């Protein structure tokens, strides 16, 4: 006579014990600040934003009236630059337009008044269809998937290690001088985007769907084309993408109001305005934020 | 509500299970079956309550038609019954595809609104067609609507099979002991369920991330090189196996937990030594359906050689089309039809020569079968013919062979034929290679879970002699502490990985 009863008990008890342990750890440490019940003074934001920025931002989202979407060029427009406005920056470094659009549908919880969507040329491409948003949303969807997630446990362990051992998990800066990094970004960094650039079709239809929805629901949609340095603007000729670039600008202009900073001129030629050919400095970002506020309030009036 | 969701594992399943046995104990076996029908319909409605009407209508129609056919044994009635079922399937599944092709061929501009494919329609339609045909051929119709509704809607098999026959299900429903809790059945069922869940969420979903980028790139018309193509296709080969066989294991396991045995659906298909053997091991209940209700109907192998080949092609093409409305599925079916014809020709040539099959030939057959199946998966997975031909071009070396330059020190001897390029060369991530090796070994050398538990006969054999075949040297499952630890670990790993975005591939069919 085989002991099925003992077998069943061992499997279920073992499984429940481990899951409970894991769940309790994740509930107490709560590295993504889901429940905010226990505070050990852990560097949760630093670690969690590194582990899964989308998840972190989803969990901190509190239905503001204005959201900013896009990649790192939009992420630099920090919410605190928009004084007197209830703004949430819902952009992710390394993000794609697919992620930005999915984020919009998630963020649209009835309270939205305006959306600022950063659409730089290099992510306006069908070639980069990476979309990490659904995966992040899946983990945050219900308490069980969050508290039983190995990613949450890993982030919790990292937060503990950072606090109690002083170990840093921040992304290491590349061992390059500013000049070398500049060249790297113009070389392999640009080839990564421009070699594979392809005319967006699915992406464009999704953008149009979003534009139509905003029109129908009185949500102001503002497109923002971030500044790039002249060196990068010149690369379009090298990669034979000038026509595609012009067509992209035309399309975005047809879709709605556009704040276009990606133009040749004094600003674009001055390296002091940029961290690298793709990213402007904090100071420039503050000015852009001021322009955005100005434009939004003007249209409201 | 998928089997791999928290809602299913922590709410739906325990509640349904406890209530099932409680009702049987407090009330009666009959009421516990009523509960099971209710739970199954609730499970179906969770996806979209609107389509509950469809499945209820289908159950009602086929139940009544079955009785009518039994009373009158009329060819006209069976024709109407089959056409009605196929008509519903055609409308929901193939109307868009037909209109699209008509527009191309006849240069018309018909427009059809998007039709949502009701969940499980392909499965419950086939199941009920087989029921009507069986009744027409003389099998007793189901005399009780409750039993018939359970036969169609029993939730473990409702969405993606196994496709069951009334003869194997109905006799079980009559037995009162199925609703009496049995520790043995529960232990066996729970074990199979967790192994299946592990196969799905840990193995299939993990390897899926290596397949998708390659196929997506090919669908966009990007150039796929040799190693990328093979990496992506092999990843998909393992993904679809672990996805679907994992689902089937879960279904069989769930059936056991409720005291009901479902037919076996997978028998280590990648260990097949020829393509005929492959179809005896892959989606076995679909193969059975196609064989009994299509191939035999067309005349099978009784009408001469050429007619047999024609029947094979037609059967497999329709089998391909059953999976989805698209030319890629049709090509996949045609390819398998051709493979089967080649296999039949080879077999008759070999038996004419009276040749004994050696070990080497068995292994060559196994490799050739595997490669053929893998190549056919290209058409199954790609969403366009352009994508499929892009992968095919890559896999046949027409786009050159590029490897990540981190491998150059080890593989520099390949440099005459291989180009070493960049640290991100290609759409197939190198971290996928260990997965391919491990999953390949599992598929090729390990017995499947049902075989490992064959002493307890958790699934119904469907005439393939599954339980009579030679046992493997791999340790059999026993209800002991060692296996309990193994299963508990698999369960924990599976449950903690359930938060990933994932869907069963066969749900869309």
């Amino acid at each position: 006579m085989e002991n099925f009863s003992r077998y069943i008990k061992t499997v279920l008890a073992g499984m429940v014990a481990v899951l409970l342990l894991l769940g309790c750890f994740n509930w107490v440490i709560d590295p993504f600040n889901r429940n905010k019940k226990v505070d050990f003074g852990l560097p949760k934001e630093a670690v969690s934003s590194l582990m899964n920025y989308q998840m972190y931002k989803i969990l901190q989202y509190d239905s503001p009236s204005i959201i900013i979407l896009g990649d790192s060029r939009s992420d630099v427009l920090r919410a605190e630059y928009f004084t007197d406005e209830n703004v949430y920056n819902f952009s992710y470094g390394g993000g794609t337009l697919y992620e930005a659009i999915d984020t919009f549908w998630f963020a649209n919880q009835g309270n939205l008044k305006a959306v600022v969507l950063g659409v730089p040329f290099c992510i306006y491409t069908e070639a980069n269809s990476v979309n990490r948003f659904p995966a992040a949303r899946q983990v945050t969807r219900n308490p069980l998937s969050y508290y039983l997630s190995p990613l949450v446990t890993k982030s919790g362990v990292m937060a503990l290690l950072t606090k109690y051992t002083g170990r840093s998990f921040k992304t290491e800066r590349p061992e390059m001088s500013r000049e070398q990094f500049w060249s790297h970004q113009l070389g392999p960094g640009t080839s990564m985007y421009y070699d594979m650039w392809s005319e967006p079709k699915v992406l464009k239809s999704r953008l149009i769907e979003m534009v139509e929805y905003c029109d129908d629901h009185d949500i102001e949609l503002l497109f923002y084309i971030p500044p790039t340095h002249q060196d990068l603007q010149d690369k379009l000729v090298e990669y034979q993408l000038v026509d595609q670039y012009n067509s992209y600008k035309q399309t975005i202009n047809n879709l709605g109001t556009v704040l276009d900073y990606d133009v040749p001129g004094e600003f674009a030629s001055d390296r002091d305005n940029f961290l690298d050919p793709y990213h402007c400095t904090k100071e420039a970002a503050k000015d852009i934020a001021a322009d955005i506020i100005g434009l939004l309030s003007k249209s409201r009036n | 509500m998928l089997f791999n969701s928290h809602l299913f594992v922590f709410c739906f399943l325990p509640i349904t299970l406890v209530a099932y046995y409680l009702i049987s104990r407090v009330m009666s076996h009959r009421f516990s079956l009523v509960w099971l029908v209710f739970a199954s319909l609730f499970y179906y409605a969770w996806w979209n309550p609107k389509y509950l009407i469809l499945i209820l209508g289908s159950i009602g129609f086929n139940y009544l038609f079955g009785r009518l056919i039994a009373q009158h044994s009329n060819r006209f009635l069976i024709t109407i019954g089959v056409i009605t079922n196929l008509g519903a399937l055609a409308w929901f599944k193939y109307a868009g595809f037909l209109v699209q092709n008509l527009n191309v061929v006849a240069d018309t501009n018909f427009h059809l609104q998007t039709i949502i494919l009701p969940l499980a329609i392909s499965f419950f339609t086939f199941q009920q067609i087989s029921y009507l045909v069986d009744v027409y051929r003389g099998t007793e119709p189901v005399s009780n609507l409750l039993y018939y509704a359970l036969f169609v809607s029993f939730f473990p098999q409702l969405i993606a099979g196994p496709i069951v026959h009334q003869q194997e299900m109905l006799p079980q429903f009559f037995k009162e002991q199925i609703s009496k809790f049995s520790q043995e059945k529960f232990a066996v069922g729970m074990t199979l369920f967790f192994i299946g869940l592990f196969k799905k969420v840990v193995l299939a979903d993990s390897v899926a991330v290596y397949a998708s980028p390659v196929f997506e790139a090919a669908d966009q018309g990007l150039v796929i090189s040799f190693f990328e193509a093979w990496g992506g296709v092999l990843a998909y080969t393992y993904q679809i196996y672990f996805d679907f066989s994992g689902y089937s294991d879960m279904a069989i396991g769930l059936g056991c937990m409720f005291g009901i045995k479902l037919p076996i659906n997978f028998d280590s298909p990648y260990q097949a030594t020829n393509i005929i053997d492959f179809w005896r091991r892959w989606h076995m209940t679909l193969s059975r359906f196609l064989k009994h209700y299509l191939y035999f109907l067309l005349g099978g192998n009784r009408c001469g050689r050429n007619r047999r080949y024609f029947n094979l092609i037609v059967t497999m093409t329709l089998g391909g089309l059953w999976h989805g409305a698209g030319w890629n599925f049709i090509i996949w079916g045609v390819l398998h039809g051709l493979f089967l014809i080649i296999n039949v020709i080879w077999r008759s040539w070999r038996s004419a020569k009276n040749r004994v099959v050696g070990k080497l030939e068995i292994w060559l057959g196994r490799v050739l079968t595997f490669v053929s199946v893998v190549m056919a998966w290209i058409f199954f997975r790609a969403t366009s013919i352009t994508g499929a031909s892009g992968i095919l071009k890559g896999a046949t070396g027409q786009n050159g062979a590029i490897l990540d330059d981190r491998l150059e020190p080890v593989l520099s001897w390949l440099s005459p034929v291989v180009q070493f390029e960049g640290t991100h060369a290609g759409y197939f991530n190198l971290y996928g290679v260990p997965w391919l090796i491990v999953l390949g070994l599992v598929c090729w050398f390990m017995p499947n879970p049902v075989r490992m538990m064959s002493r307890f006969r958790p699934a119904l054999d469907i005439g393939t002699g599954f339980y009579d075949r030679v046992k493997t040297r791999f340790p059999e499952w026993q209800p002991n502490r060692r296996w309990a630890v193994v299963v508990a670990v698999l369960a924990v790993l599976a449950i903690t990985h359930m938060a990933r975005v994932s869907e069963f591939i066969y749900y869309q069919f």
Side-chain angles (χ1 to χ4, degrees), chain B residues 5 40 85 87 95 199-200 213 231 280 320 350-351 357 477 481 499:
Chain B
S5 67
S40 297
N85 277 293
K199 280 167 81 174
K200 162 64 188 157
R280 283 188 190 134
R350 207 185 50 202
S351 58
V357 184
W477 176 81
R481 189 168 291 173

Side-chain angles (χ1 to χ4, degrees), chain A residues 2-8 10-12 14-15 18-19 22 126-127 129 134-136 138-139 142 144-145 148-150 196 198, chain B residues 6 10 183-184 186-187 190-191 194 216 220 427 455-456 477-481 483-484 487-488 491-492 495-497 499-501:
Chain A
E2 279 149 316
N3 202 334
F4 289 102
S5 167
R6 196 194 295 166
Y7 173 83
I8 294 168
T10 313
V11 173
L12 292 181
M15 185 186 91
V18 176
L19 292 178
L22 199 74
E126 205 83 305
S129 58
Q138 189 72 11
V139 181
N142 67 58
L144 274 176
S145 52
L148 296 181
S149 161
M196 313 239 293
S198 72
Chain B
H6 293 98
F10 292 111
Q183 288 180 347
E184 178 183 327
F186 185 79
M190 178 185 71
T191 303
F194 284 133
E216 278 162 19
Q220 283 169 31
Y427 304 100
R455 189 155 70 93
F456 300 92
W477 176 81
Q478 305 281 349
N480 56 27
R481 189 168 291 173
W483 271 103
V487 172
V492 167
I495 288 169
T496 53
H497 281 77
R500 289 200 279 198
V501 179

Side-chain angles (χ1 to χ4, degrees), chain A residues 37 41 43 50 61 110 113-114 117 139 155 158 161 182 192-194 212 220 226 235 243 284 296 300:
Chain A
K37 297 273 190 235
L50 200 71
Y61 184 66
K113 295 277 176 280
L117 177 60
V139 181
S155 307
M158 282 167 76
L161 286 176
W182 193 279
M192 193 171 75
Y193 291 119
Y194 286 1
E212 285 171 351
E220 195 175 354
K235 285 280 170 186
D243 290 344
L296 288 177
R300 267 181 230 164

